[in-house]
Amino acid sequence: MKPFEIAEKIYDVGVTDWNIRDFHGYSTELGTSYNAFLIIDEKIVLIDSVKKDFSDELIQNISTIVDPKKIDMVISNHTEMDHSGSLPRIMHRIGEDKPVYCSSMGVKNLSRHFAQKFNYQSIKSGETLSIGKRSFTFLETKMLHWPDSMFTYLNEDKILFSSDAFGQHYAGCEEFDDEADEHLIMLHAKKYFANILLLYAPLILNLVEKVMEMGLEFKMICPDHGILWRKNPNKIIEAYVKWSKQEPDKKAVVIYDTMWHSTQLMAEAIAEGIHSQGVFVKPMKLREFHRSDIMTEVLESRAVVVGSPTLNNGLFPTLADFLTYMKGLRPKNKLGAAFGSYGWSGEAVGLLQKHLEEMQFEIIEPSMKFQYVPDSKGLEACREMGRKIGRAVADR
Ligand code: FEO
C-alpha cells in the first residue's frame, strides 16, 4: 500500500482509487491508482500529483517520508486533472515559488487549468536536470496522449516515469508486475492502449524508435496508473509495438444490439459460421458489454462485424454510440461487415456499412438484413456469411 519505496530513496506517494467505475466513459471495474513519485536526493522532487479529491491523502503520504515544505521542485509530466488536480494544494503546501518543470505545452495547459500562476519552467526533449547524485533527462511525448505529455528518465537508476503510457486502470495492494496476476495486468494494459492510445499508434512507433536511438535502458517503468514494471519492462514495450503496428490476430468480433432477438439470432449464426473456419470470435451485445471492453476486443480482431435493428428509420442508439467511439480511435487494417433486422423500412444496415466505409474498413459483401424474424433458411444464410468472413480472416 502506498507510500511505497520502489528503489532507494524513491517512493510512490500516489493514491489508490478503489471505487471509481467510470473514467470519462471508460469502464474501470477494478478501480485505478494515481501514482506520484517522490525522490530524495540533495534536492527533493515530486513527479506528478493526483486527482483533486485525493489531495489530502497525497500530502499525508508525502508527510510520512518528508516534510512537504522540503520539496524543492515538482515535475509535471502531464496536465490532465487526474495527475494535476491537486497541484494547487501541493504548491500551497510546499511553497508557491518552487519551480514546476514541464514541457512548453505543459506551461500553457497548466496555466489554462489553474488561475494561480506558479513558477513554471519549460523544458525540452533531451534537456537534463541534476538534483545531486542523480539527474533527469526529459523526453517530450507530444500527443501521447495530450500535447503537453512528456516522460522523465532518472539516469542513474534507469527508471522511466512514463505518465499515462504503459499504465493500466488497476487498483490493488501490489506495486510491481512480479507481484500481480500478469495476465490480468496485461489485459488492462491492452484495454488502456485500445481506449486511450490507439488513435496515436503511429506516434508510438516513432517514439519507441527515438528511445532506442537514445540508447535508454529501463530497469523500471513507472506509469501514473496501476502496476509498475520491473520484472521485464521490455515486455510492455514490445506489447505497445505490437498493438501500435495494428497487425490484428486471426480473430473476429460481432458487435450488435437487438430489440426482439432477431438481430441477436443473426449475430449468433454469423459467429457460428466464423468459428467453423477455425477463427476465434466473440459476439458482444452492446447493452451487456461496455464500449471500452468491446474496443479492447476490436484492437486485435481482424474482422469487425456490426449488427443493428432499424429503429425510427435509423440505427439502434447503442450502435450509434459505439460507432462514434470506435471511429474516434481510428482502428486500421480491419475487415468489416454489416447485418441487421427490420420491420418495415430497414435503413440501419446501410448506415452501418457507411460507417465502416468511412473508417476505411475493407467491406465483406453482401451485407445481410431480414424483415422481422429470420427463418431457418435466413439463419443458414447468416452462417454462410460468417463462413465467408471466417475464410477472409483465416486467409490473411
Ligand atoms: Fe491519466 Fe491522461 O491522464
Side-chain angles (χ1 to χ4, degrees):
M1 302 289 271
K2 302 177 196 301
F4 192 91
E5 189 172 29
I6 62 169
E8 196 186 348
K9 303 275 184 197
I10 303 172
Y11 302 85
D12 181 355
V13 290
V15 300
T16 305
D17 190 347
W18 297 98
N19 297 320
I20 188 168
R21 291 294 176 267
D22 183 303
F23 190 99
H24 60 45
Y26 173 139
S27 71
T28 48
E29 62 274 18
L30 299 181
T32 194
S33 67
Y34 314 110
N35 303 335
F37 302 93
L38 186 73
I39 298 159
I40 314 277
D41 206 297
E42 286 165 31
K43 301 280 186 196
I44 300 179
V45 185
L46 176 67
I47 300 181
D48 290 327
S49 69
V50 300
K51 220 173 179 180
K52 186 180 178 185
D53 323 15
F54 294 89
S55 302
D56 288 343
E57 203 177 322
L58 173 65
I59 290 168
Q60 196 182 333
N61 286 349
I62 294 169
S63 303
T64 64
I65 299 158
V66 70
D67 179 349
K69 285 194 179 66
K70 292 188 174 166
I71 292 177
D72 295 289
M73 63 185 78
V74 173
I75 294 172
S76 171
N77 278 332
H78 181 26
T79 304
E80 197 166 4
M81 299 279 252
D82 48 334
H83 311 296
S84 73
S86 57
L87 189 68
R89 280 285 308 282
I90 284 287
M91 296 311 292
H92 180 68
R93 194 64 194 267
I94 72 175
E96 287 166 357
D97 57 336
K98 302 272 178 77
V100 178
Y101 290 93
C102 53
S103 64
S104 57
M105 283 307 295
V107 175
K108 283 187 188 163
N109 289 354
L110 287 169
S111 304
R112 284 169 189 152
H113 276 72
F114 305 114
Q116 190 173 353
K117 302 299 170 220
F118 298 109
N119 178 12
Y120 297 125
Q121 299 291 321
S122 165
I123 41 181
K124 290 191 174 65
S125 268
E127 278 189 44
T128 58
L129 179 69
S130 172
I131 56 167
K133 293 188 181 68
R134 293 169 157 122
S135 62
F136 297 114
T137 299
F138 301 102
L139 179 60
E140 289 176 80
T141 59
K142 203 169 183 176
M143 296 319 298
L144 291 175
H145 69 123
W146 274 28
D148 49 69
S149 298
M150 68 174 198
F151 288 172
T152 297
Y153 182 68
L154 188 55
N155 295 302
E156 293 71 17
D157 300 80
K158 303 188 192 313
I159 297 177
L160 181 72
F161 298 98
S162 61
S163 182
D164 281 329
F166 312 119
Q168 337 88 49
H169 283 311
Y170 177 81
C173 295
E174 315 93 324
E175 186 75 19
F176 295 107
D177 51 348
D178 49 276
E179 299 167 341
D181 177 336
E182 187 175 297
H183 176 75
L184 189 65
I185 297 306
M186 286 306 291
L187 175 66
H188 283 276
K190 181 164 73 173
K191 181 172 177 178
Y192 197 92
F193 185 97
N195 287 277
I196 305 282
L197 296 172
L198 180 60
L199 169 62
Y200 306 110
L203 296 178
I204 293 171
L205 288 173
N206 289 344
L207 176 67
V208 172
E209 253 175 48
K210 200 167 167 184
V211 168
M212 296 300 175
E213 279 167 20
M214 289 171 81
L216 299 183
E217 270 179 60
F218 304 116
K219 274 196 181 155
M220 203 183 289
I221 295 180
C222 300
D224 276 355
H225 296 290
I227 292 292
L228 315 183
W229 306 93
R230 72 172 175 190
K231 183 179 158 196
N232 178 12
N234 281 336
K235 185 180 170 94
I236 188 65
I237 295 175
E238 284 161 13
Y240 264 51
V241 169
K242 178 187 183 289
W243 297 329
S244 299
K245 284 183 175 167
Q246 298 202 62
E247 293 168 351
D249 297 338
K250 290 189 190 301
K251 285 172 63 175
V253 58
V254 180
I255 303 159
Y256 71 98
D257 215 326
T258 196
M259 292 170 68
W260 293 104
H261 302 295
S262 292
T263 307
Q264 181 169 355
L265 286 170
M266 294 177 75
E268 289 171 3
I270 290 167
E272 202 182 314
I274 294 172
H275 188 241
S276 72
Q277 302 305 301
V279 171
F280 179 89
V281 59
K282 195 161 179 175
M284 301 181 93
K285 182 180 163 189
L286 273 158
R287 273 176 296 161
E288 307 303 335
F289 290 90
H290 194 271
R291 69 169 86 82
S292 51
D293 290 314
I294 297 177
M295 203 56 222
T296 311
E297 287 298 323
V298 167
L299 176 67
E300 291 182 324
S301 291
R302 172 70 73 191
V304 179
V305 186
V306 287
S308 174
T310 295
L311 178 67
N312 302 330
N313 304 109
L315 290 174
F316 199 73
T318 50
L319 266 300
D321 171 288
F322 180 75
L323 288 165
T324 302
Y325 185 67
M326 179 165 68
K327 198 179 277 185
L329 289 162
R330 292 188 211 162
K332 291 193 172 28
N333 304 328
K334 303 294 184 197
L335 300 168
F339 67 97
S341 63
Y342 66 101
W344 48 95
S345 57
E347 292 89 342
V349 175
L351 292 170
L352 290 175
Q353 186 143 327
K354 191 162 171 276
H355 277 280
L356 297 179
E357 284 164 1
E358 282 168 7
M359 285 185 274
Q360 297 180 327
F361 287 13
E362 186 184 327
I363 307 295
I364 299 178
E365 303 269 15
S367 57
M368 182 78 67
K369 65 180 179 182
F370 282 108
Q371 190 171 23
Y372 293 115
V373 182
D375 58 12
S376 57
K377 208 172 137 195
L379 291 178
E380 180 48 30
C382 290
R383 278 189 284 275
E384 181 48 34
M385 180 189 187
R387 286 191 284 272
K388 188 173 178 184
I389 296 166
R391 284 193 296 275
V393 171
D395 285 349
R396 301 290 158 136

mmCIF file of all heavy atoms in Angstrom, residues 34 54 56 68 106 134 195 215 235 239 274 301-302 333 379:
data_model
loop_
_atom_site.group_PDB
_atom_site.id
_atom_site.type_symbol
_atom_site.label_atom_id
_atom_site.label_comp_id
_atom_site.label_asym_id
_atom_site.label_seq_id
_atom_site.Cartn_x
_atom_site.Cartn_y
_atom_site.Cartn_z
ATOM 1 N N TYR A 34 -3.571 6.644 -8.960
ATOM 2 C CA TYR A 34 -2.890 7.826 -9.488
ATOM 3 C C TYR A 34 -1.525 7.807 -8.818
ATOM 4 O O TYR A 34 -1.405 8.137 -7.632
ATOM 5 C CB TYR A 34 -3.670 9.104 -9.165
ATOM 6 C CG TYR A 34 -5.160 8.933 -9.468
ATOM 7 C CD1 TYR A 34 -6.102 8.875 -8.441
ATOM 8 C CD2 TYR A 34 -5.588 8.757 -10.784
ATOM 9 C CE1 TYR A 34 -7.440 8.654 -8.726
ATOM 10 C CE2 TYR A 34 -6.932 8.530 -11.062
ATOM 11 C CZ TYR A 34 -7.843 8.482 -10.033
ATOM 12 O OH TYR A 34 -9.166 8.240 -10.309
ATOM 13 N N PHE A 54 -8.140 13.632 -3.924
ATOM 14 C CA PHE A 54 -7.206 12.850 -3.107
ATOM 15 C C PHE A 54 -6.031 13.696 -2.605
ATOM 16 O O PHE A 54 -5.020 13.147 -2.172
ATOM 17 C CB PHE A 54 -6.680 11.651 -3.910
ATOM 18 C CG PHE A 54 -7.735 10.641 -4.254
ATOM 19 C CD1 PHE A 54 -8.468 10.760 -5.423
ATOM 20 C CD2 PHE A 54 -8.019 9.581 -3.400
ATOM 21 C CE1 PHE A 54 -9.455 9.836 -5.749
ATOM 22 C CE2 PHE A 54 -9.001 8.652 -3.712
ATOM 23 C CZ PHE A 54 -9.722 8.779 -4.893
ATOM 24 N N ASP A 56 -5.516 15.486 0.069
ATOM 25 C CA ASP A 56 -5.117 15.292 1.477
ATOM 26 C C ASP A 56 -4.315 14.013 1.633
ATOM 27 O O ASP A 56 -3.326 13.963 2.369
ATOM 28 C CB ASP A 56 -6.351 15.217 2.393
ATOM 29 C CG ASP A 56 -7.006 16.579 2.553
ATOM 30 O OD1 ASP A 56 -6.341 17.589 2.232
ATOM 31 O OD2 ASP A 56 -8.173 16.625 2.971
ATOM 32 N N PRO A 68 6.519 18.129 3.610
ATOM 33 C CA PRO A 68 6.269 18.620 2.243
ATOM 34 C C PRO A 68 6.980 19.942 1.924
ATOM 35 O O PRO A 68 7.349 20.179 0.778
ATOM 36 C CB PRO A 68 4.752 18.775 2.189
ATOM 37 C CG PRO A 68 4.236 17.804 3.204
ATOM 38 C CD PRO A 68 5.257 17.762 4.301
ATOM 39 N N GLY A 106 2.984 22.069 -21.553
ATOM 40 C CA GLY A 106 2.591 21.904 -20.147
ATOM 41 C C GLY A 106 2.408 23.265 -19.489
ATOM 42 O O GLY A 106 1.450 23.482 -18.732
ATOM 43 N N ARG A 134 21.881 12.366 -8.505
ATOM 44 C CA ARG A 134 21.052 11.867 -9.600
ATOM 45 C C ARG A 134 20.714 12.991 -10.581
ATOM 46 O O ARG A 134 20.773 14.181 -10.229
ATOM 47 C CB ARG A 134 19.734 11.306 -9.051
ATOM 48 C CG ARG A 134 19.898 10.061 -8.202
ATOM 49 C CD ARG A 134 18.571 9.779 -7.524
ATOM 50 N NE ARG A 134 18.436 8.407 -7.142
ATOM 51 C CZ ARG A 134 18.217 7.996 -5.900
ATOM 52 N NH1 ARG A 134 18.123 8.867 -4.909
ATOM 53 N NH2 ARG A 134 18.083 6.716 -5.638
ATOM 54 N N ASN A 195 -8.242 2.015 -25.697
ATOM 55 C CA ASN A 195 -9.222 3.065 -25.440
ATOM 56 C C ASN A 195 -8.633 4.462 -25.288
ATOM 57 O O ASN A 195 -9.361 5.448 -25.394
ATOM 58 C CB ASN A 195 -10.021 2.721 -24.186
ATOM 59 C CG ASN A 195 -11.002 1.595 -24.435
ATOM 60 O OD1 ASN A 195 -12.098 1.836 -24.929
ATOM 61 N ND2 ASN A 195 -10.602 0.363 -24.124
ATOM 62 N N GLY A 215 19.368 5.194 -26.758
ATOM 63 C CA GLY A 215 20.088 4.140 -26.031
ATOM 64 C C GLY A 215 19.666 4.019 -24.564
ATOM 65 O O GLY A 215 20.453 3.595 -23.720
ATOM 66 N N LYS A 235 8.734 -6.190 -21.839
ATOM 67 C CA LYS A 235 7.503 -6.898 -22.212
ATOM 68 C C LYS A 235 6.393 -5.896 -22.585
ATOM 69 O O LYS A 235 5.711 -6.070 -23.596
ATOM 70 C CB LYS A 235 7.054 -7.793 -21.048
ATOM 71 C CG LYS A 235 5.859 -8.658 -21.385
ATOM 72 C CD LYS A 235 5.470 -9.506 -20.182
ATOM 73 C CE LYS A 235 4.142 -10.170 -20.433
ATOM 74 N NZ LYS A 235 4.230 -11.495 -20.970
ATOM 75 N N ALA A 239 4.767 -5.131 -26.258
ATOM 76 C CA ALA A 239 3.306 -5.177 -26.455
ATOM 77 C C ALA A 239 2.834 -3.877 -27.110
ATOM 78 O O ALA A 239 2.002 -3.907 -28.029
ATOM 79 C CB ALA A 239 2.604 -5.400 -25.120
ATOM 80 N N ILE A 274 -18.353 -18.026 -38.552
ATOM 81 C CA ILE A 274 -16.945 -17.570 -38.445
ATOM 82 C C ILE A 274 -16.126 -18.627 -37.707
ATOM 83 O O ILE A 274 -15.044 -19.034 -38.147
ATOM 84 C CB ILE A 274 -16.872 -16.203 -37.702
ATOM 85 C CG1 ILE A 274 -17.543 -15.094 -38.536
ATOM 86 C CG2 ILE A 274 -15.421 -15.840 -37.385
ATOM 87 C CD1 ILE A 274 -17.685 -13.758 -37.819
ATOM 88 N N SER A 301 -8.662 -7.778 -33.305
ATOM 89 C CA SER A 301 -9.519 -8.540 -34.221
ATOM 90 C C SER A 301 -9.303 -8.101 -35.655
ATOM 91 O O SER A 301 -9.245 -6.909 -35.946
ATOM 92 C CB SER A 301 -10.997 -8.332 -33.861
ATOM 93 O OG SER A 301 -11.274 -8.942 -32.629
ATOM 94 N N ARG A 302 -9.235 -9.079 -36.567
ATOM 95 C CA ARG A 302 -9.122 -8.745 -37.991
ATOM 96 C C ARG A 302 -10.485 -8.299 -38.524
ATOM 97 O O ARG A 302 -10.568 -7.341 -39.276
ATOM 98 C CB ARG A 302 -8.631 -9.987 -38.760
ATOM 99 C CG ARG A 302 -8.641 -9.843 -40.244
ATOM 100 C CD ARG A 302 -7.604 -8.883 -40.766
ATOM 101 N NE ARG A 302 -6.260 -9.402 -40.693
ATOM 102 C CZ ARG A 302 -5.162 -8.687 -40.881
ATOM 103 N NH1 ARG A 302 -5.263 -7.400 -41.146
ATOM 104 N NH2 ARG A 302 -3.963 -9.228 -40.795
ATOM 105 N N ASN A 333 -6.580 -1.570 -40.625
ATOM 106 C CA ASN A 333 -6.370 -2.943 -41.120
ATOM 107 C C ASN A 333 -7.500 -3.886 -40.700
ATOM 108 O O ASN A 333 -7.253 -5.005 -40.247
ATOM 109 C CB ASN A 333 -5.030 -3.502 -40.624
ATOM 110 C CG ASN A 333 -3.879 -2.598 -41.008
ATOM 111 O OD1 ASN A 333 -3.918 -1.951 -42.043
ATOM 112 N ND2 ASN A 333 -2.864 -2.538 -40.157
ATOM 113 N N LEU A 379 -31.263 -18.003 -41.261
ATOM 114 C CA LEU A 379 -30.146 -18.228 -40.329
ATOM 115 C C LEU A 379 -29.019 -18.987 -41.010
ATOM 116 O O LEU A 379 -27.838 -18.751 -40.724
ATOM 117 C CB LEU A 379 -30.634 -18.960 -39.077
ATOM 118 C CG LEU A 379 -31.539 -18.110 -38.177
ATOM 119 C CD1 LEU A 379 -32.024 -18.924 -36.982
ATOM 120 C CD2 LEU A 379 -30.835 -16.844 -37.700
#
